[in-house]
């Protein structure tokens, strides 16, 4: 634990000391002498980003409900604080107790994005904890990971004792209970890991060996001891109402990216977009009841003082009872001076009613995800959105007072041509032209259409996992061509650096050999790779070269339908056969209907033990 003088000296020297002080309203303080298990929840990015993460808020409240457990928080310190901690020999600590991470029983990381991997190593090193699991015995905290990146755990497998596949509400409590039991019984690390491996969704990387073909492809990932499952099946919450949303948040004292009350209204997605990993790995689709959403939301706003409430999910407007949810919320929200936000609306079910029921939200801009500029390519990716639906959504928005629209697109999608790239600019121009045809549009104001264009990254557990990624040179050509197709000052184009997308693609589809590359890049100075000012692509290329690994092997190479993938020993619910069928349909530009209208046999229903929806007979 840092002394007061050491901490004061560090905080006086950094730009935002509030990131490191703790003491926020809603933070949980317990007597560490009276708890049996201590859990450090670590987010490998800055305080502002980590405190916007709803998953941390859910698990923080859930674990702290146990009287004899104490969950605390730690974030990656910004560069100025990192330098001060290294200079003054202050180990990375949790905000609540100021105790270093190595004093905890469990240190858990949320892996939300591949380019945060070096920050995980930076946080471990700042804590004085050995980076590799093989170098830690039972005297060290158990280092665990959860989050969407665990669906391909292999690039980070060497650094974690345990990785959680799936949803953490019950799984994490089971892990904590097992660690508490092992601690009291005096288990060694091997005994503890063996017990943890029996918990649904728990993956112990050291219990599996990887073999390779001569050309570098995976031959197999197999258990190296008896009693370990050949495939780890993800954990899910079958009934969303069985785990009510949080009724209290830690309210940050430093401005965060998302500083508002948030309630998760559903989990999963019915859409089946072929590029979207979240839409596949969070299946099956499950909803919370309007009654529970409204009740918990009101309590949350009252406890925290927030005056804005966000209804969170992958596709909030797909909730079958959304109108009822909004009616219940509006029955108290205006009187409580709370405005409603729907951040994940779909353009095809955006309606006048939704606008009216969220009328207190600031009407400066609205976002729609078109994803592709032509109907052919939207069919390839199974977006199931037409220009007529985009036009209708924008017409409603403009009539209701909106003056700007942001359109999300991707570049580098499978089968894409330059005509599809031109279609992005054409779609934006059609939206601009539409604005000036609306009789009751906002007068005296111009329209602004922003095209945000991301570089497509093939991800595991999607139909496009079999695809190669566009090269940096190809993406640059497409970006340059897109800019040449825009002829209006009312259209702004933002696009992402292709270098970060290339690296993301490598680690998204990579295998266990990449752990050495990640550690080498970190040792050579890589961290905060998600921040443009600290990302150094050449340093990463040097790390690949030093480890004798060709990065192009992972993202510029198409994967055969029958090839063993680094993640095939995981089971997220959707089957390999389903993904292959969807990929072949994509190549034919054939669409698949949303799964609440017709079951496509993805396999996720087995996690529920029955059908995902009550289909009518003629829908089957």
């Amino acid at each position: 634990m840092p002394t007061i003088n050491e901490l004061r000296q560090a905080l006086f020297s950094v730009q935002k000391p509030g990131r490191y002080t703790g003491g926020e309203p809603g933070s949980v303080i317990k007597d560490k002498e009276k708890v049996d298990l201590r859990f450090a929840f670590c987010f490998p990015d800055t305080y502002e980003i980590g405190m916007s993460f709803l998953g941390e808020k859910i698990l923080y409240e859930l674990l702290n409900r146990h009287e004899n457990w104490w969950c605390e928080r730690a974030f990656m310190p910004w560069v100025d604080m990192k330098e001060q901690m290294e200079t003054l020999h202050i180990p990375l600590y949790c905000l609540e107790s100021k105790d270093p991470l190595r004093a905890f029983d469990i240190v858990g990381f949320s892996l939300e994005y591949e380019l945060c991997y070096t920050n995980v190593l930076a946080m471990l090193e700042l804590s004085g904890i050995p980076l590799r699991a093989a170098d830690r015995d039972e005297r060290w905290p158990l280092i665990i990971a959860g989050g969407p990146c665990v669906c391909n755990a292999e690039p980070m497998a060497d650094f974690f004792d345990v990785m959680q596949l799936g949803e953490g509400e019950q799984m994490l409590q089971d892990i904590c209970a097992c660690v508490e039991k092992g601690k009291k019984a005096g288990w060694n690390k091997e005994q503890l890991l063996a017990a943890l491996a029996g918990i649904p969704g728990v993956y112990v990387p050291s219990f599996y060996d990887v073999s390779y073909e001569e050309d570098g492809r995976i031959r197999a990932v197999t258990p190296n001891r008896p009693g370990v499952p050949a495939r780890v099946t993800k954990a899910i919450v079958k009934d969303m109402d069985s785990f009510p949303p949080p009724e209290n948040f830690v309210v940050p004292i430093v401005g965060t990216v998302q500083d508002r009350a948030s309630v998760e209204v559903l989990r999963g997605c019915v859409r089946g977009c072929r590029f979207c990993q979240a839409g596949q790995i969070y299946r099956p689709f499950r909803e919370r009841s309007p009654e529970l959403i409204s009740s918990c939301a009101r309590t949350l706003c009252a406890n925290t003082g927030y005056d804005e409430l966000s209804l969170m999910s992958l596709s909030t407007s797909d909730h079958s009872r959304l109108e009822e949810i909004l009616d219940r919320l509006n029955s108290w929200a205006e009187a409580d001076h709370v405005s409603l936000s729907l951040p994940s609306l779909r353009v095809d079910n955006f309606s006048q009613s939704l606008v009216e029921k969220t009328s207190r939200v600031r009407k400066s801009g609205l976002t729609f995800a078109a994803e592709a500029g032509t109907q052919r390519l939207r069919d390839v990716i199974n977006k199931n959105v037409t220009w007529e639906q985009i036009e209708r959504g924008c017409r409603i928005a403009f009539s209701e007072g909106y003056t700007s629209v942001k359109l999300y697109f991707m570049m580098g999608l499978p089968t894409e041509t330059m005509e599809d790239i031109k279609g992005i600019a054409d779609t934006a121009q059609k939206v601009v032209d539409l604005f000036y045809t609306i009789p009751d549009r906002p007068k005296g104001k111009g329209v602004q259409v922003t095209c945000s264009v991301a570089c497509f990254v093939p991800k595991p557990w999607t139909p496009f996992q079999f695809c190669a990624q566009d090269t940096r040179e190809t993406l640059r050509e497409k970006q340059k061509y897109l800019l040449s197709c825009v002829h209006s000052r009312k259209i702004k184009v933002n696009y992402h650096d292709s270098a970060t997308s290339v690296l993301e693609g490598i680690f998204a589809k990579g295998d266990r050999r990449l752990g050495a590359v990640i550690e080498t890049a970190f040792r050579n100075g890589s961290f905060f790779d998600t921040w443009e000012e600290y990302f150094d692509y050449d340093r990463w290329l040097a790390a690949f070269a030093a480890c004798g690994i060709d990065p192009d092997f992972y993202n510029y190479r198409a994967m055969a339908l029958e090839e063993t993938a680094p993640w095939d020993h995981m089971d997220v619910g959707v089957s390999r056969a389903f993904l292959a069928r969807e990929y072949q349909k994509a190549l034919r530009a054939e669409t698949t209907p949303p799964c609440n209208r017709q079951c496509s046999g993805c396999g996720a229903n087995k996690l529920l033990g029955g059908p995902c929806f009550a289909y009518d007979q003629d829908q089957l």
Side-chain angles (χ1 to χ4, degrees), residues 210-213 216-221 511 513 563-566:
V210 185
S211 58
Y212 300 90
E213 304 288 359
R217 292 177 296 126
I218 300 287
R219 177 178 296 153
V221 181
D511 55 49
R513 292 172 293 193
E563 181 179 332
T564 300

Side-chain angles (χ1 to χ4, degrees), residues 271 317 323 345-355 366 368 385-400 402 405 407 427 430-431 434-435 437-438 440:
R271 298 293 174 145
S317 53
E323 298 279 353
L345 292 174
R346 304 285 181 163
V347 68
D348 57 331
N349 56 17
F350 181 72
S351 67
Q352 191 88 27
S353 176
L354 289 183
V355 174
L366 202 63
F368 293 128
V385 166
T386 65
W387 162 250
E388 289 73 24
Q389 291 168 327
I390 296 172
E391 179 185 34
R392 175 180 167 276
C394 291
R395 186 179 296 275
I396 292 172
F398 293 148
S399 297
E400 288 296 320
Y402 289 91
V405 171
L407 299 174
T427 300
K430 289 162 73 174
V431 173
L434 173 67
F435 178 81
T437 69
I438 306 294
D440 50 351

Side-chain angles (χ1 to χ4, degrees), residues 129-146:
I129 296 173
L131 302 188
R132 290 183 172 261
D135 298 328
R136 301 188 298 262
D137 58 20
E138 56 275 0
R139 292 171 294 180
W140 295 98
L142 188 77
I143 310 299
I144 72 174

